[in-house]
Amino acid sequence: MNIFLRELKVYRKGLLFWCLGMVMLVASGMAKYASFKGNSQAVVELMSQFPKSVQAIFGLTGFDLTKASGYFGVLYVYIALMVTVHAVLLGAGIVSKEERDKTSEFLFAKPISRFRVLSEKILAGLFNILVLNLVTSLSSVYFIGYFASDESFMSDVIILMVGLLMLQLIFFFIGTAVAGFCKKPKLSGTIATSVLLLTFVMTFFINISENLNWLSYFTPFKYFDAKDLMDSGFNLIYLVISAILVIVSIFITYKFYYSRDLDV
Amino acid sequence: MNIIETKKLTKYYGKSLGISEIDLEIKEGEIFGFIGPNGAGKSTTIRTLLGLVYPTSGSATIFGKDIIEFGPEIKEDIGYLPSEVFYYDGMRVIDLLKYSGSFYKKDQAVILKKIKELAEYLDLDLKKKIDDLSYGNKKKVGIIQGLLHEPKLIILDEPTGGLDPLMQQRFFDLLREENKKGVTILFSSHILSEVQKLCDRVAIIKDGKIVKIDNIKDLAKDTHKRFKLEFKGEIDRKQVTELIGVSDLAFDDNNASFLLKGNINEAIKLIAGFELTNLLVEEPDLEEIFMHYYVADKK
């Protein structure tokens, strides 16, 4: 477990800052709700007069903004973007950094298999992801409760946070797969984030145009859309696709990292 | 018993050749030199042996076990010092060495004792941060990292870069000591004198191919010496030309320069008869030796 422990230590500080960032995002987002709550009726009316495309870009479509949970649903899009950026960079980085930092000649001259290296690194990455998810969940519960003590929101938050975890897992393993496949360690982070941003931007187009609904299958953000989750829970097909994505990504990670030359 | 054995070991990086059909047999307890210019394929051979890159064709065994199938198991008993030492930023020397030691099955207390011994011997401060170390001191970290688990095979890739002559001497003494205990050493270098000082046998590699494997003594016997003669007056060109084993002969004003192969006594006797103002007998540089083998190879 020495690589696992070592990676935890390496990512300790980064994780702390990510956690602080998430707490601040949730806190400041919900604080705005507090000021918004007073004259919510007027604002909601005003917003409903915006063109649909503008509403879509701000992620406002379909939420009841007078409720704290509805307001949180809007905020969720940005929370999801943040934690998936964390996940995808973590996945790509934790696998490729030995090559990037030229430490692979140190590490792989030791009596360990690439399988063990990958497995311990992935475990360490999953630990980071879980911690960030927990911190985000707890701060969400706390701040929603703080600003909206009069409604029940617990079940909504729980289902959203489970969805968030799924998103994190998908993008974490997309990150490791890119790094496992990519022979140029410096490129893997760029490629992985590009995939993330592309799929994220796709959701806006889908929100604007009904004709593009079929695109939903190509962006994990739609699998765990806040409104859908809060209205009707998890969609089985999307869950299956998510599982397949994760399994295929894990397979690619191991398969290619195992059989390719290391960049030294 | 052969500690390292390679059979037609070949590695292409895409289309560009790394090494081609390398056949090596390194016996238990010997110090084997691996010499060649930069980019000849020394590091590629070593990285293939360590499983960092996979061979395109051919095979190799270490301790009689296939390098790919038994990679992790084999490496339990290998110590490796890469040519360029890069370590995790922000770590202290002692933490890195402990981390390095933690990969081995050996008792960690024994490893820690060995780390301290080696650090004292090489005069390295274990409490410093790796980032703050000079190149030479980083190299020392590399040496300790390669020796702390008392490996049976030590693989060194250009190990002396950055070490001052005194440290180099201590390092060589250390290697000889390990060798006396039965440890096999593969020593890669582009500096001939280093290899001559330490090694029993040597393989010369050029453009990815082994040009020659020889005992270091035989190689020296075979090696050409470069003579540079400065005559007082006219050069007796005829007599110089008649020297046995002369090649690459060049005249320039009062100077004559040539490579001489084999026994130098005959040449010295003859040269004693010349009126000279200056005489230089030099080791030909490595490039010249390579040229020699390269030309011979082509014939």
Side-chain angles (χ1 to χ4, degrees):
Chain A
M1 291 312 271
N2 45 3
I3 299 174
F4 174 75
L5 294 173
R6 163 99 197 113
E7 293 300 351
L8 286 192
K9 217 171 175 186
V10 170
Y11 283 96
R12 193 174 48 184
K13 216 183 259 172
L15 181 62
L16 181 70
F17 282 114
W18 273 100
C19 287
L20 285 176
M22 290 315 296
V23 172
M24 275 159 65
L25 177 67
V26 174
S28 62
M30 290 317 290
K32 284 207 186 72
Y33 169 75
S35 60
F36 169 88
K37 199 164 51 170
N39 44 10
S40 57
Q41 226 35 54
V43 180
V44 170
E45 254 169 56
L46 176 72
M47 282 183 176
S48 65
Q49 284 169 22
F50 286 168
K52 195 168 180 229
S53 55
V54 175
Q55 288 189 31
I57 285 167
F58 287 106
L60 302 171
T61 34
F63 290 110
D64 179 1
L65 290 178
T66 55
K67 284 168 71 182
S69 57
Y71 193 90
F72 184 70
V74 178
L75 189 60
Y76 178 78
V77 178
Y78 302 99
I79 294 175
L81 179 63
M82 291 286 282
V83 295
T84 48
V85 166
H86 168 259
V88 88
L89 284 177
L90 178 68
I94 206 164
V95 172
S96 66
K97 74 187 167 77
E98 304 289 342
E99 293 174 90
R100 188 193 63 209
D101 300 340
K102 309 258 174 217
T103 47
S104 44
E105 271 198 303
F106 168 84
L107 186 60
F108 290 96
K110 306 283 174 255
I112 35 157
S113 62
R114 294 191 192 183
F115 182 84
R116 199 184 116 192
V117 172
L118 265 186
S119 302
E120 291 199 24
K121 278 174 175 279
I122 285 174
L123 275 182
L126 290 178
F127 182 87
N128 275 267
I129 276 178
L130 270 179
V131 169
L132 188 62
N133 186 282
L134 267 178
V135 168
T136 310
S137 301
L138 291 177
S139 55
S140 298
V141 169
Y142 177 78
F143 285 109
I144 298 173
Y146 186 82
F147 292 113
S149 46
D150 51 340
E151 58 173 292
S152 74
F153 54 87
M154 211 53 182
S155 62
D156 279 341
V157 172
I158 288 174
I159 198 169
L160 285 179
M161 288 305 141
V162 173
L164 197 67
L165 184 63
M166 294 298 293
L167 277 174
Q168 286 176 289
L169 289 177
I170 291 173
F171 281 104
F172 174 72
F173 284 113
I174 286 177
T176 62
V178 170
F181 179 79
C182 187
K183 283 184 183 173
K184 297 220 168 71
K186 278 177 191 153
L187 265 183
S188 56
T190 317
I191 295 174
T193 19
S194 305
V195 172
L196 173 81
L197 290 178
L198 189 75
T199 54
F200 186 74
V201 169
M202 248 157 89
T203 60
F204 291 122
F205 288 104
I206 297 166
N207 286 348
I208 293 167
S209 168
E210 305 262 320
N211 300 332
L212 293 175
N213 264 343
W214 56 274
L215 264 180
S216 300
Y217 292 103
F218 295 96
T219 166
F221 289 103
K222 272 287 167 192
Y223 304 173
F224 304 103
D225 184 90
K227 188 171 178 315
D228 296 347
L229 288 181
M230 281 157 57
D231 288 352
S232 51
F234 291 107
N235 176 323
L236 185 66
I237 299 174
Y238 285 148
L239 281 180
V240 171
I241 299 177
S242 302
I244 292 174
L245 255 179
V246 166
I247 291 167
V248 168
S249 296
I250 292 176
F251 178 76
I252 291 176
T253 308
Y254 277 92
K255 170 84 184 140
F256 284 92
Y257 197 69
Y258 203 80
S259 55
R260 74 173 163 87
D261 292 340
L262 293 171
D263 187 69
V264 281
Chain B
M1 183 189 150
N2 287 329
I3 292 291
I4 300 178
E5 194 173 326
T6 69
K7 284 189 189 125
K8 296 201 179 305
L9 196 65
T10 302
K11 174 67 193 173
Y12 278 88
Y13 293 105
K15 275 183 182 162
S16 67
L17 176 70
I19 48 172
S20 168
E21 305 203 339
I22 301 276
D23 286 312
L24 283 178
E25 285 184 3
I26 300 174
K27 296 183 185 67
E28 182 162 16
E30 77 176 331
I31 305 185
F32 192 91
F34 201 33
I35 189 158
N38 294 324
K42 300 187 299 282
S43 294
T44 299
T45 309
I46 289 171
R47 285 165 182 170
T48 311
L49 286 173
L50 290 169
L52 290 156
V53 299
Y54 292 112
T56 312
S57 64
S59 65
T61 59
I62 294 179
F63 309 128
K65 288 173 184 156
D66 186 79
I67 50 163
I68 294 164
E69 204 183 334
F70 297 99
E73 190 186 327
I74 291 169
K75 284 180 243 177
E76 193 74 44
D77 289 314
I78 298 179
Y80 172 50
L81 173 59
S83 57
E84 286 174 75
V85 280
F86 289 100
Y87 297 117
Y88 304 94
D89 287 345
M91 258 177 138
R92 287 185 312 154
V93 175
I94 184 68
D95 295 330
L96 178 94
L97 291 173
K98 276 184 184 167
Y99 181 50
S100 181
S102 69
F103 288 93
Y104 300 98
K105 289 198 188 96
K106 219 175 171 63
D107 184 355
Q108 295 300 312
V110 176
I111 286 181
L112 187 63
K113 197 167 153 256
K114 183 83 180 174
I115 291 174
K116 286 185 175 152
E117 260 174 46
L118 286 168
E120 192 168 332
Y121 182 72
L122 292 173
D123 198 14
L124 178 70
D125 185 356
L126 288 173
K127 290 196 187 84
K128 277 201 170 161
K129 285 222 170 186
I130 304 237
D131 310 353
D132 300 338
L133 295 183
S134 67
Y135 180 57
N137 279 332
K138 277 187 189 164
K139 209 80 189 186
K140 290 181 194 170
V141 177
I143 294 168
I144 299 175
Q145 169 272 138
L147 297 179
L148 53 80
H149 56 299
E150 301 185 24
K152 291 184 191 131
L153 168 65
I154 300 173
I155 297 178
L156 307 158
D157 195 358
E158 311 268 359
T160 53
L163 293 182
D164 61 52
L166 176 73
M167 261 320 140
Q168 197 168 323
Q169 195 52 48
R170 276 195 198 178
F171 174 49
F172 280 8
D173 289 344
L174 193 64
L175 289 178
R176 283 195 197 96
E177 224 169 274
E178 291 293 321
N179 181 243
K180 263 184 214 153
K181 290 185 221 158
V183 172
T184 311
I185 298 171
L186 172 58
F187 187 101
S188 149
S189 174
H190 66 271
I191 303 163
L192 186 64
S193 59
E194 261 181 26
V195 174
Q196 275 174 330
K197 234 186 259 175
L198 200 68
C199 300
D200 309 319
R201 284 199 308 148
V202 62
I204 296 177
I205 184 168
K206 186 176 170 67
D207 295 336
K209 294 190 178 86
I210 298 281
V211 190
K212 195 175 175 76
I213 300 180
D214 224 335
N215 282 325
I216 200 82
K217 282 179 195 133
D218 294 342
L219 190 77
K221 206 194 295 171
D222 219 30
T223 313
H224 298 209
K225 294 271 185 286
R226 168 145 314 266
F227 279 73
K228 283 178 185 162
L229 278 57
E230 197 178 317
F231 284 80
K232 211 168 187 180
E234 275 292 292
I235 300 179
D236 191 345
R237 293 197 178 196
K238 186 162 171 288
Q239 268 197 302
V240 176
T241 317
E242 275 172 0
L243 277 169
I244 299 159
V246 161
S247 62
D248 198 19
L249 182 62
F251 294 108
D252 170 30
D253 293 333
N254 287 344
N255 299 311
S257 156
F258 54 85
L259 280 172
L260 186 88
K261 184 183 173 173
N263 193 332
I264 56 168
N265 290 315
E266 291 299 315
I268 297 291
K269 274 179 200 158
L270 201 115
I271 290 166
F274 297 151
E275 281 281 315
L276 300 177
T277 53
N278 204 357
L279 167 65
L280 274 174
V281 184
E282 297 174 322
E283 287 288 328
D285 58 41
L286 197 60
E287 203 48 42
E288 283 180 295
I289 295 176
F290 285 124
M291 280 313 289
H292 168 70
Y293 286 114
Y294 192 55
V295 173
D297 206 35
K298 273 195 169 171
K299 280 174 193 165

